[in-house]
Amino acid sequence: MHATTPARPFDGSRDREIESLAEFDEVVSSQGSLAHHRVQAVDLTDRTEVLLTLDTTGAVFLGCPMEPEAAATARASGALVFPPVPGLPFDPYRGFVYSPDELFAALRQGGYEATPDALTYAWFQRTRTDGDVFASMLRSIHDDAVSDALDELLVGARVVGVMGGHAMARGTEAYAGAARLGRELARGGLTVATGGGPGAMEAANLGAYAAPFADGMLTEALLLLAKAPSFTPSITDWATAAFEVRARWPRGGPSVGVPTWFYGHEPPNPFAAHIAKYFSNATREDGLLARCTAGVVFLPGAAGTVQEIFDNATPNYYESRGEPTPMVLVDRAHWTERLPAWPLLRALARERSMEDRIALVDRIEEAPEALKRLGG
């Protein structure tokens, strides 16, 4: 420890996190010290000369490539240095959520099986049941890093969730309706967040992507996507069609997808600009719903969507996250006859604060107004 720097606990403030080389250079230039900072997944191999002279008391380097001399000096100066883990298809210490281009890199060259997303799923399949504490630790570190990055991304945003089944096929009216819903919500100033997968989730992310363009863009995009209706039998064809839409209409509107490698046979959709992908489905589900501060729209789905309804209803019932948030269920016949979640939800809500925050509508076009009426 340098005598000139008094020992003190890390205060947890985000301004001490360094997640890019530009941030590293800015801190070094303005403060002349890395004491008590957290440097996360930044390649520092070209900053050896700087690292040899900086005060790194109480600093933590998480997965930062650096020369051995620089790492040794940082440790001697009082830093903790967690080196990168070789041989992984993902970075457990990453500082940012994923982008579609990152997860689908090499799609054109080698098909979906060659992408980082597919390779990470294959690693997960190999390690999820082998009892190796090191592998489980890496998964936990990764998911915590993704949660931290997602929180930073959504600061100040009004987030609305759109939940629904993965089986909703491109080329159907249901898919087009979900896309129009996502577009309307995004145009209303809300950040659309979905489970990040195919079907209804992709449609809502596509709608948010289409929000800055004239209405005709979405009509044309739906026609182009219909040539690959589902991610089965070929994820490669399904994803390629999406990237063709993105290439024809670049710089679409942003939205968030929160998928999981637990259901890795379902690929993430390329229309969410920001993808927070997790290994743990429980962490993913709870985290997604907790961040939907402006409410959630539940489109027709099966077991997963039913689970999400009551995952969302529980904190609303107990008000464990504060004031209940709006819940809008779409398709009366689906939620009262085929899968009668609505009667149970209404019974739970009776005479509680959440009673005025739930609604059931027949048509998807009614959802935005219902959400607004409930306070979303």
Side-chain angles (χ1 to χ4, degrees):
M1 182 180 296
H2 290 272
T4 55
T5 304
R8 61 181 176 81
F10 176 61
D11 64 9
S13 58
R14 291 197 183 276
D15 61 3
R16 291 187 176 274
E17 292 183 8
I18 298 174
E19 297 165 335
S20 69
L21 198 58
E23 287 181 335
F24 177 88
D25 291 338
E26 181 181 349
V27 169
V28 170
S29 174
S30 62
Q31 300 182 25
S33 171
L34 289 177
H36 303 287
H37 281 76
R38 276 49 177 148
V39 190
Q40 193 173 345
V42 179
D43 189 341
L44 299 176
T45 51
D46 291 334
R47 297 295 186 272
T48 300
E49 192 171 320
V50 173
L51 289 167
L52 293 178
T53 62
L54 283 175
D55 178 8
T56 57
T57 303
V60 180
F61 295 87
L62 298 169
C64 298
M66 62 178 77
E67 296 296 338
E69 183 184 7
T73 299
R75 289 190 183 98
S77 182
L80 289 175
V81 179
F82 294 82
V85 181
L88 290 178
F90 65 95
D91 182 358
Y93 300 112
R94 61 180 303 110
F96 304 97
V97 297
Y98 294 94
S99 69
D101 289 333
E102 181 181 3
L103 286 176
F104 285 97
L107 177 70
R108 291 190 179 277
Q109 295 79 12
Y112 175 71
E113 293 74 15
T115 65
D117 186 65
L119 294 173
T120 301
Y121 177 51
W123 176 89
F124 181 42
Q125 289 291 90
R126 291 193 304 271
T127 63
R128 62 190 296 184
T129 59
D130 64 6
D132 184 354
V133 67
F134 183 55
S136 63
M137 181 192 74
L138 292 173
R139 293 194 295 269
S140 296
I141 291 172
H142 170 274
D143 285 2
D144 191 68
V146 167
S147 289
D148 182 67
L150 187 57
D151 284 338
E152 292 175 355
L153 174 72
L154 295 178
V155 169
R158 295 179 63 230
V159 181
V160 60
V162 179
M163 310 298 157
H166 67 267
M168 185 183 288
R170 296 167 173 175
T172 64
E173 179 51 37
Y175 184 96
R180 290 192 293 268
L181 171 66
R183 183 177 65 183
E184 184 169 348
L185 294 173
R187 286 178 173 175
L190 297 169
T191 297
V192 173
T194 77
M201 297 170 280
E202 180 190 53
N205 288 129
L206 167 64
Y209 187 89
F213 301 101
D215 288 357
M217 173 269 176
L218 182 56
T219 303
E220 292 184 59
L222 291 169
L223 291 173
L224 291 174
L225 291 172
K227 66 183 181 182
S230 173
F231 65 96
T232 60
S234 172
I235 296 177
T236 299
D237 292 347
W238 175 85
T240 298
F243 278 101
E244 287 175 0
V245 169
R246 284 166 45 96
R248 182 166 176 181
W249 292 280
R251 297 180 295 279
S255 65
V256 176
V258 188
T260 173
W261 281 293
F262 185 82
Y263 297 129
H265 61 287
E266 297 178 14
N269 79 74
F271 292 110
H274 310 289
I275 302 176
K277 192 155 189 178
Y278 289 86
F279 289 107
S280 168
N281 186 52
T283 303
R284 167 250 191 171
E285 288 276 13
D286 185 69
L288 169 57
L289 293 166
R291 291 173 174 87
C292 293
T293 52
V296 183
V297 178
F298 296 93
L299 303 179
T305 310
V306 172
Q307 177 183 343
E308 288 163 344
I309 288 173
F310 292 103
D311 278 349
N312 197 45
T314 300
N316 280 349
Y317 180 90
Y318 289 111
E319 299 187 44
S320 56
R321 295 180 185 140
E323 187 177 347
T325 53
M327 301 176 65
V328 178
L329 278 61
V330 176
D331 192 329
R332 187 176 302 273
H334 185 85
W335 293 122
T336 62
E337 298 172 16
R338 288 188 286 275
L339 293 174
W342 172 252
L344 177 53
L345 179 64
R346 186 172 56 180
L348 281 171
R350 190 171 296 123
E351 297 181 358
R352 303 188 73 89
S353 297
M354 67 180 287
E355 186 171 20
D356 296 329
R357 293 299 185 93
I358 63 171
L360 174 67
V361 298
D362 284 315
R363 298 179 300 108
I364 198 168
E365 292 79 11
E366 300 174 77
E369 180 57 36
L371 192 70
K372 189 180 301 183
R373 185 173 69 250
L374 298 176

